[in-house]
Amino acid sequence: MLKNKNTILYLIYTFFSSISFISPYTNLYLNEHFSFNISMIGIILMIYQATKFIFEIPTGVIADKFGKKISVIIGNILMIISYSILLLNIKELVYISFFLKGLGYTFISGSFDAIFINSLGSKVLTKMNSITRIFFFFGIGVSSGLGGLIIDILSYNMIIILDILILIVIFIISLIIKDDNIIINKKEKILKKSINLILSKKVLILFLLLDLITAISFINLEDFYSTFLSNNGIDIKIIGIIIFTQLIVSSIIGAIIHNVFKNINKLNFYMIFSILNVIFPLVMYIQKNIWLVPILYILKMVSYSLYAPVKYEIFQANINNNVRSTILSIKSLFIAIGGIISYFIVFLLGKYFTIEKITIILLTITLLFYIVINIIIFKDIKNFYKND
């Protein structure tokens, strides 16, 4: 499997695309470097999600019609421009930077995955998904740990420069990847075909709804995690070490899971660990011991590693190659809607409640939705593996 050139490039791309020295510290960066308050940070992040919301489907259709590789290249160029604007240190341009970042994301979103899936086939999706998560967690862990140290020793601008260098590497990879693009009639109504496919399959509708509900609480959870630790008196160097440890441990566990995944009962793992994936962060915010937070976060990531490949496998198996980018864009659209709702809630309630209390409310609502949707989707998942 690893002899496939696209597979190797995909793993390399996954690793480098997971490296972002600034991402774990975005809110601290906007607050400390540009003096934005929590409400204004919510607005900036909402602009990012709103841009994704507006452009996700159009860019997905462009990828399916004119080539996924072209879409990825355009997206990477926009991302490089976005990060470069931040180096100008002009407060008013931050809004433009996050708009371009959101636009760049929409061109990349789903397109690179679609290239990989089309070239490799669907039979090894779950196995490769487990491998890419190892690369993903490891990349985030390393960049998060180093990011905190670099900020403390040097500056925020230095980690922006490092992120730009990483984006250039990703851009080079996107130039050499092979796109086995299916030639599609330019007059074919891809969006309509994609929507009809989604509406014809209950499992796709429910998984998309689950993505929406998850985004409402988890985007808020991830984006304000470093702020949460900082508000509890944790130094930025220690925050970097905590995030590094969490994600490296998750990466190691992901490697173990990859080796045993084929022998487990996927239905049971999905039903149990999808719920625990929400319960652990909820407990993390409710309990008062700050040093239990990293442990609960690791348990959350372990739960995610156990149920996410099942959801990924079922979702991908139910969509066709010729509309894959468009449907993955629709999936990202649902996540973007969830992000907009999340940031809007932070903007409205941020003046009256702490970010911790807002997150607890959102996680509680998410947990209730997970329980209901899992009950509805139970038979569909059972039948999928019964017929597999």
Side-chain angles (χ1 to χ4, degrees):
M1 179 174 61
L2 292 179
K3 291 181 180 179
N4 183 297
K5 179 183 175 182
N6 265 15
T7 302
I8 296 172
L9 287 174
Y10 182 79
L11 293 176
I12 296 173
Y13 184 94
T14 300
F15 174 70
F16 279 102
S17 63
S18 68
I19 295 176
S20 177
F21 296 95
I22 188 61
S23 289
Y25 309 99
T26 298
N27 297 293
L28 292 176
Y29 169 62
L30 293 174
N31 175 253
E32 296 177 4
H33 194 72
F34 289 104
S35 300
F36 288 110
N37 59 33
I38 288 294
S39 293
M40 290 310 300
I41 290 173
I43 290 293
I44 292 169
L45 297 178
M46 191 161 61
I47 289 173
Y48 171 66
Q49 294 295 341
T51 304
K52 289 164 60 179
F53 169 75
I54 295 170
F55 292 101
E56 272 291 0
I57 293 180
T59 53
V61 173
I62 289 172
D64 278 327
K65 279 194 172 185
F66 302 106
K68 301 170 182 63
K69 178 175 178 176
I70 294 174
S71 182
V72 172
I73 291 172
I74 293 173
N76 283 317
I77 292 173
L78 289 171
M79 295 288 278
I80 292 171
I81 294 173
S82 166
Y83 278 73
S84 299
I85 288 175
L86 293 176
L87 290 177
L88 298 175
N89 294 317
I90 300 175
K91 191 172 184 178
E92 291 73 20
L93 293 181
V94 171
Y95 303 97
I96 297 175
S97 171
F98 276 76
F99 166 76
L100 291 176
K101 181 180 178 181
L103 182 60
Y105 176 88
T106 62
F107 275 99
I108 298 171
S109 167
S111 294
F112 201 89
D113 281 346
I115 293 172
F116 165 70
I117 292 165
N118 291 347
S119 65
L120 191 63
S122 60
K123 292 184 179 180
V124 293
L125 283 181
T126 301
K127 185 175 181 180
M128 283 305 303
N129 188 245
S130 298
I131 296 174
T132 55
R133 289 186 194 284
I134 296 170
F135 280 71
F136 183 76
F137 290 148
F138 185 78
I140 296 178
V142 170
S143 58
S144 299
L146 291 177
L149 293 173
I150 294 169
I151 292 170
D152 185 68
I153 298 172
L154 298 173
S155 66
Y156 280 108
N157 278 345
M158 180 54 65
I159 60 174
I160 296 293
I161 292 172
L162 291 175
D163 274 354
I164 292 173
L165 294 176
I166 293 296
L167 286 170
I168 292 173
V169 173
I170 294 172
F171 173 72
I172 293 172
I173 295 173
S174 68
L175 290 177
I176 60 179
I177 194 76
K178 181 181 179 183
D179 181 7
D180 296 325
N181 191 44
I182 297 174
I183 303 300
I184 299 176
N185 186 339
K186 299 297 188 292
K187 295 182 180 180
E188 184 176 356
K189 297 181 178 179
I190 298 175
L191 179 57
K192 182 179 179 180
K193 187 176 181 179
S194 301
I195 293 174
N196 288 338
L197 178 62
I198 291 171
L199 294 177
S200 69
K201 298 189 177 185
K202 183 179 73 174
V203 67
L204 292 181
I205 296 174
L206 291 174
F207 276 155
L208 288 172
L209 181 59
L210 206 59
D211 286 333
L212 170 65
I213 300 303
T214 303
I216 291 175
S217 59
F218 274 69
I219 286 179
N220 180 68
L221 170 70
E222 298 295 339
D223 283 351
F224 290 96
Y225 182 61
S226 60
T227 303
F228 170 59
L229 294 176
S230 180
N231 288 345
N232 281 275
I234 307 298
D235 183 78
I236 194 163
K237 293 195 299 291
I238 305 301
I239 291 175
I241 294 171
I242 288 173
I243 297 175
F244 169 78
T245 303
Q246 289 170 171
L247 293 168
I248 293 301
V249 170
S250 300
S251 175
I252 294 171
I253 293 173
I256 297 172
I257 291 170
H258 163 62
N259 290 326
V260 302
F261 195 79
K262 61 182 179 181
N263 299 318
I264 66 175
N265 186 315
K266 296 178 183 178
L267 172 62
N268 291 341
F269 266 55
Y270 176 84
M271 300 303 293
I272 295 170
F273 288 101
S274 61
I275 299 297
L276 289 177
N277 180 58
V278 184
I279 290 177
F280 284 131
L282 183 58
V283 174
M284 183 175 79
Y285 275 85
I286 293 175
Q287 63 86 36
K288 302 300 182 182
N289 189 337
I290 189 63
W291 297 110
L292 284 178
V293 169
I295 296 173
L296 289 166
Y297 190 96
I298 289 172
L299 291 174
K300 166 200 170 296
M301 298 303 295
V302 171
S303 300
Y304 178 77
S305 296
L306 286 167
Y307 95 88
V310 178
K311 178 173 175 285
Y312 181 84
E313 178 184 30
I314 296 172
F315 189 88
Q316 294 290 353
N318 277 276
I319 57 181
N320 304 325
N321 286 342
N322 62 338
V323 293
R324 195 176 298 277
S325 285
T326 302
I327 291 182
L328 290 178
S329 290
I330 293 173
K331 173 182 168 68
S332 294
L333 176 67
F334 273 73
I335 295 173
I337 294 172
I340 293 171
I341 295 172
S342 178
Y343 294 134
F344 187 65
I345 291 172
V346 171
F347 172 71
L348 290 178
L349 302 182
K351 300 175 183 178
Y352 311 102
F353 300 100
T354 64
I355 195 66
E356 291 83 359
K357 290 182 179 179
I358 295 172
T359 304
I360 289 172
I361 294 170
L362 295 178
L363 284 170
T364 302
I365 295 171
T366 299
L367 178 60
L368 294 175
F369 271 96
Y370 260 74
I371 293 171
V372 173
I373 291 177
N374 277 3
I375 291 172
I376 297 173
I377 208 171
F378 177 83
K379 287 186 178 179
D380 296 272
I381 299 177
K382 183 177 181 180
N383 291 333
F384 178 82
Y385 286 110
K386 183 178 180 180
N387 298 327
D388 189 26

